[in-house]
Amino acid sequence: MKLRSVRGTHDIFGKEIDKFNLISNIVSRNAALKNFKEIQTPIFEFSNLFAKPLGEQSDVVLKEMYSFQDRNNDFLTLRPEYTTPMIRAAITNNLLNELPLKIFGIGPMFRRERPQKGRYRQFNQINFETLGTNNFLADVELISLSKNILKELLPKSKLKLHINSLGDKNNLIEYKKNLTKYFNEHKKKLSEESIKKIDTNPLRILDSKNEEDIVISQSSPKIYEYLSNDAKKDYEDLKRSLNLLEINFQEDPNLVRGLDYYCNTVFEYKSDNLGSQDTLLGGGRYDGLIKVLGGPDIPGIGWAAGIERITLLMDFEKKIGSTVHIALTNEKFTDYFLYLQKYLSEKRISYYWNYKYNLKKSFTKANTSFASYIIIIGENEFKGKFFTVKNLKTGEQKELELENISNHLNDKFK
Ligand code: HAM
């Protein structure tokens, strides 16, 4: 059998892993600025954690979860998203004693979707949650945090923030009833996929990508007309604050999100350069979810962004490496080379040798790696007790004693 990775999974290496690490650093720094604490949860959980909160009729639960029975006959599921595991962890570790709880995490999620550009079966998410406040300023904080992170990672990309309010649970029930009625009246023109959702999950028809569904959805009842006064006020306050902070947004009455737990504010960042998988980041409020999972009756809000989708948009210039390459021309100089290695390690200077006693090959490797320096050890160096340090950018070459190498490199690296 030919060796291959599982469909929808991918190995991360080279430039891609550099991008991943950069994203992770930038996320952690921004999280610290706003006092979000990192949390890591296991990759699998008991299956019943997910079905009810995400929605028995949601695509994720209906067809995308990787679930299995282990040897004890426990039903387990690879986490398809991070919000429910994070809430589970907050409850089981008594983290909800002091509110609000502001947490974030980065890690792999698993959904058995049809793989395509920007869509994998194992993918990585950045995830932020604020638990325990219904103040709209928490919504503002999370949206502005998402903007700051995306702006730092993708300074040249044009991203669009879409927002909507789904109102509270009662508004939503009333709205869904009216949507079902409306779609039943226009059933003949809907796609087969959408017809199946009329009674079970009419909200999802609103974000169908089928052209005929889109036309029907354009004249469907709009959620805004069903919002309670409180929900309307929060939505207006949110929009005013975003304007004040100069965060551009676009109201999108058909933005409903794919998971069932949302209410009130929902939002997404989209890009025109990602093809059909154009949502980089999505989130919203989920009042009621924490209680459903067995915790106190407190509200929450959060968002998640797909790391793979971010890397697709990231420009990554080749950076001049700060690793010094070594060219060793003959095995005879091994001991002399070991002195150099010990010295460079002590000075915390990164170095690379290709295990080849060949000057030309060492130079080729140094040039293709964008190294800025190469240190040469040959007959002359060995006999004269010095090292030749060559700057590959300027061509300047110096004969230096061991103890002078660090200062010379440090001066130039700056
Ligand atoms: P979501 O919209 O399902 O929300 O996923 C968030 C982001 O994860 C998407 O916008 C996308 O960038 C990325 N993503 C989702 N599925 C895939 C996939 N198959 N391949 C690659 N990337 C993908 C959530 O997961 C919610 N838990 C977000 C949230 C947090 N809401 C409140 N708190």
Side-chain angles (χ1 to χ4, degrees):
M1 197 182 87
K2 209 173 139 218
L3 201 59
R4 59 185 176 88
S5 60
V6 176
R7 186 165 138 81
T9 67
H10 63 130
D11 302 308
I12 304 166
F13 56 92
K15 246 197 256 173
E16 188 80 357
I17 197 84
D18 288 343
K19 289 182 184 176
F20 263 66
N21 290 333
L22 182 66
I23 293 173
S24 174
N25 287 339
I26 288 179
V27 167
S28 300
R29 192 155 36 72
N30 278 281
L33 281 175
K34 298 221 185 290
N35 264 288
F36 282 80
K37 304 288 181 225
E38 185 163 5
I39 182 164
Q40 281 185 15
T41 73
I43 276 168
F44 53 89
E45 300 273 355
F46 288 114
S47 299
N48 61 11
L49 178 69
F50 300 109
K52 203 167 161 203
L54 305 193
E56 313 268 3
Q57 295 302 327
S58 66
D59 282 351
V60 172
V61 172
L62 280 180
K63 43 191 185 196
E64 294 169 5
M65 294 207 303
Y66 281 97
S67 299
F68 57 98
Q69 246 177 307
D70 77 355
R71 284 166 186 241
N72 292 341
N73 293 327
D74 283 330
F75 286 95
L76 304 175
T77 293
L78 301 184
R79 60 183 186 198
E81 61 112 44
Y82 221 163
T83 310
T84 27
M86 279 196 173
I87 295 173
R88 198 271 309 135
I91 297 170
T92 46
N93 296 292
N94 294 320
L95 305 180
L96 296 172
N97 294 337
E98 216 181 296
L99 296 175
L101 177 69
K102 297 180 19 170
I103 47 179
F104 81 101
I106 303 175
M109 309 295 146
F110 305 84
R111 295 183 195 175
R112 199 176 188 289
E113 297 187 83
R114 196 169 50 77
Q116 62 184 91
K117 183 182 163 199
R119 189 159 75 187
Y120 299 90
R121 291 181 170 175
Q122 175 173 340
F123 59 99
N124 289 277
Q125 274 188 348
I126 304 159
N127 196 94
F128 280 83
E129 309 291 343
T130 300
L131 310 182
T133 175
N134 51 23
N135 192 319
F136 76 94
L137 289 173
D139 310 27
V140 177
E141 178 178 59
L142 277 168
I143 292 176
S144 81
L145 176 68
S146 72
K147 186 204 156 177
N148 293 348
I149 292 176
L150 290 178
K151 199 151 188 241
E152 202 170 332
L153 289 169
L154 306 169
K156 292 186 203 147
S157 293
K158 277 214 181 79
L159 304 178
K160 284 192 208 122
L161 171 64
H162 293 230
I163 63 167
N164 191 18
S165 172
L166 300 178
D168 60 35
K169 289 278 175 216
N170 292 333
N171 309 159
L172 209 51
I173 291 170
E174 193 54 30
Y175 178 56
K176 277 188 195 165
K177 252 195 243 160
N178 282 283
L179 262 189
T180 299
K181 187 164 165 263
Y182 171 83
F183 285 130
N184 265 321
E185 284 161 9
H186 297 82
K187 199 170 179 171
K188 281 195 198 122
K189 292 187 194 139
L190 287 175
S191 68
E192 253 179 58
E193 221 14 54
S194 289
I195 291 175
K196 283 189 219 148
K197 293 178 179 157
I198 294 181
D199 294 308
T200 53
N201 203 354
L203 285 181
R204 296 299 296 166
I205 303 176
L206 295 177
D207 63 5
S208 158
K209 297 215 157 100
N210 177 292
E211 276 179 27
E212 278 151 359
D213 292 347
I214 293 174
V215 174
I216 301 291
S217 289
Q218 269 160 359
S219 333
S220 68
K222 296 291 173 253
I223 180 74
Y224 192 77
E225 291 146 27
Y226 295 79
L227 297 189
S228 65
N229 287 341
D230 283 351
K232 261 189 194 152
K233 182 172 182 309
D234 275 348
Y235 189 45
E236 294 305 321
D237 281 342
L238 170 70
K239 287 189 284 181
R240 193 173 34 78
S241 306
L242 293 178
N243 279 327
L244 199 111
L245 295 174
E246 294 175 14
I247 299 176
N248 295 329
F249 62 87
Q250 170 173 326
E251 285 184 75
D252 182 350
N254 287 350
L255 176 66
V256 289
R257 309 274 305 127
L259 305 166
D260 255 20
Y261 49 60
Y262 292 105
C263 59
N264 292 309
T265 308
V266 285
F267 56 95
E268 284 185 353
Y269 262 105
K270 289 174 182 277
S271 159
D272 288 338
N273 300 320
L274 279 175
S276 67
Q277 300 308 308
D278 60 351
T279 306
L280 270 182
L281 179 151
R285 276 203 167 270
Y286 43 80
D287 306 355
L289 175 61
I290 301 169
K291 188 166 174 229
V292 166
L293 292 175
D297 190 5
I298 52 169
I301 174 167
W303 57 258
I307 295 189
E308 282 78 2
R309 292 192 193 170
I310 295 176
T311 63
L312 279 174
L313 295 177
M314 261 168 101
D315 263 350
F316 211 56
E317 282 169 32
K318 280 234 179 293
K319 284 220 179 80
I320 300 297
S322 56
T323 293
V324 176
H325 279 236
I326 314 281
L328 189 59
T329 60
N330 196 300
E331 231 176 308
K332 284 188 296 188
F333 315 127
T334 300
D335 291 358
Y336 195 48
F337 174 39
L338 284 174
Y339 284 121
L340 176 67
Q341 288 193 28
K342 182 165 178 282
Y343 171 83
L344 293 176
S345 301
E346 279 166 8
K347 296 287 179 193
R348 309 196 65 73
I349 294 170
S350 149
Y351 62 86
Y352 174 87
W353 177 53
N354 58 1
Y355 289 89
K356 294 189 177 84
Y357 303 95
N358 184 316
L359 191 68
K360 200 166 158 225
K361 283 191 175 153
S362 294
F363 264 88
T364 308
K365 178 71 187 168
N367 284 321
T368 53
S369 310
F370 295 91
S372 39
Y373 284 94
I374 190 159
I375 301 181
I376 302 157
I377 306 174
E379 194 81 42
N380 290 343
E381 285 78 9
F382 178 67
K383 283 195 178 140
K385 302 225 173 324
F386 63 86
F387 294 88
T388 300
V389 180
K390 180 166 185 173
N391 183 325
L392 292 168
K393 277 181 282 177
T394 62
E396 180 201 35
Q397 197 162 301
K398 278 222 153 172
E399 294 174 357
L400 296 171
E401 288 177 4
L402 190 63
E403 57 274 19
N404 295 330
I405 292 178
S406 168
N407 278 347
H408 178 75
L409 293 179
N410 281 338
D411 282 351
K412 301 287 161 66
F413 270 144
K414 271 177 210 157

